[in-house]
Amino acid sequence: MSIVASQVILHPYVSQALKYGGTNLGRDKLYRTVQYFSRFLAWYLQSRGQNSEATRWTALKNHLALARKLMRLGKPVEHLQAALRVAQTAGDIGEQLATIGRQIGYFGYLVYDTVVWANAVKIINLKPSTSQKVTRVSNQFWLSGILFSIVHGLLKAGRLATDAKKLRFPGNQGEKDLANETQRESKQLTLQKMRADVRYQFIVDLMDIWIPASSLGLVNVNDGVVGLAGLTSSIMGMRAQWFAVNGSK
């Protein structure tokens, strides 16, 4: 029995899960997944008249949303630093501007989100009208950050497609600086991975954009749609963070 217990507890997958959960971002992605699953399930149950069950999942969703706001305290500075670093480096000007816009958008979103959290736990007391304005501005910053991220993805995808075309036709495109075929194939593999990463993030952004857009009343969708969109992007975010912590496939 002890051997079986040891095999379970010391299993490499358990160790990887603990390593993943040991990161703040890993826990945030996990909480986010449960949060949007709860949002979808609460809508599903409520639409079928099971209001008492829906209330439980709504409470869980609200609790996780508040907990995640606490976990993100201080994170706005990270986005501000990222924006400054990009501004100080050389690169494609369009991609740079889009990245800076994205980081500033997320910075503003998280700053206002901190105010929302402080009001929720009664550190400060805002009037209901002021609280609504703060929440709206927070969602506006979030939406702008996602839009800039989408623009950045489109610009980068276009540049990488051009680079890939040059590698396929080195003679016509002037790519004669590659020492041999091995170098060219290595660069092609790198470009393929970069293009896959861009597509992956693009899908995440397309899912996430429904959340602030819905909160701002720009789209008319129910909590079921928003919950599924958030759940999808959360699972994708969990997957990316898992491989970042434990290594790629």
Side-chain angles (χ1 to χ4, degrees):
M1 191 68 179
S2 60
I3 296 177
V4 174
S6 297
Q7 288 178 339
V8 172
I9 295 173
L10 299 177
H11 193 278
Y13 187 80
V14 175
S15 299
Q16 290 177 338
L18 291 173
K19 187 178 179 181
Y20 172 85
T23 65
N24 190 57
L25 185 57
R27 290 193 301 273
D28 180 66
K29 296 297 184 183
L30 176 60
Y31 293 170
R32 190 181 195 269
T33 301
V34 179
Q35 175 189 343
Y36 281 100
F37 173 75
S38 300
R39 183 168 183 171
F40 167 76
L41 191 56
W43 168 85
Y44 177 82
L45 292 170
Q46 193 170 28
S47 67
R48 278 153 180 73
Q50 302 179 34
N51 294 329
S52 60
E53 290 295 324
T55 300
R56 297 180 183 179
W57 290 98
T58 299
L60 177 59
K61 175 199 71 174
N62 293 337
H63 177 75
L64 288 172
L66 194 62
R68 291 182 59 234
K69 294 181 193 301
L70 175 61
M71 291 173 62
R72 295 196 298 262
L73 292 180
K75 193 171 177 58
V77 180
E78 293 181 16
H79 291 284
L80 194 59
Q81 288 181 337
L84 289 174
R85 291 192 189 99
V86 172
Q88 295 170 357
T89 57
D92 181 87
I93 186 63
E95 292 179 35
Q96 275 189 304
L97 292 175
T99 301
I100 292 171
R102 176 181 62 188
Q103 299 296 346
I104 292 176
Y106 290 149
F107 166 76
Y109 158 57
L110 292 173
V111 166
Y112 277 89
D113 206 45
T114 300
V115 178
V116 173
W117 170 82
N119 182 60
V121 299
K122 305 304 179 183
I123 293 177
I124 60 175
N125 291 301
L126 301 177
K127 296 179 180 179
S129 58
T130 303
S131 178
Q132 290 176 1
K133 289 180 181 178
V134 170
T135 301
R136 182 172 183 81
V137 173
S138 175
N139 281 299
Q140 287 173 339
F141 270 114
W142 187 8
L143 180 62
S144 68
I146 296 174
L147 289 173
F148 274 116
S149 183
I150 290 174
V151 171
H152 174 267
L154 292 173
L155 292 174
K156 189 171 182 178
R159 176 175 61 81
L160 293 177
T162 301
D163 291 345
K165 185 178 180 180
K166 289 179 180 179
L167 284 176
R168 286 197 300 270
F169 306 102
N172 297 332
Q173 300 296 333
E175 287 285 334
K176 297 180 180 179
D177 57 320
L178 296 175
N180 50 48
E181 186 68 17
T182 302
Q183 285 183 324
R184 188 162 70 89
E185 289 178 356
S186 176
K187 193 170 182 179
Q188 283 179 327
L189 291 174
T190 301
L191 281 174
Q192 287 175 5
K193 185 180 183 305
M194 292 174 67
R195 295 178 75 180
D197 290 342
V198 170
R199 288 193 294 268
Y200 197 86
Q201 183 60 45
F202 188 73
I203 295 173
V204 171
D205 290 334
L206 288 181
M207 294 294 103
D208 278 345
I209 200 171
W210 291 96
I211 305 170
S214 174
S215 298
L216 292 170
L218 300 178
V219 293
N220 185 22
V221 294
N222 57 45
D223 264 10
V225 173
V226 176
L228 281 178
L231 177 61
T232 302
S233 65
S234 298
I235 292 174
M236 294 178 70
M238 278 186 64
R239 179 179 180 274
Q241 179 62 10
W242 177 275
F243 290 133
V245 171
N246 294 303
S248 58
K249 293 180 181 179

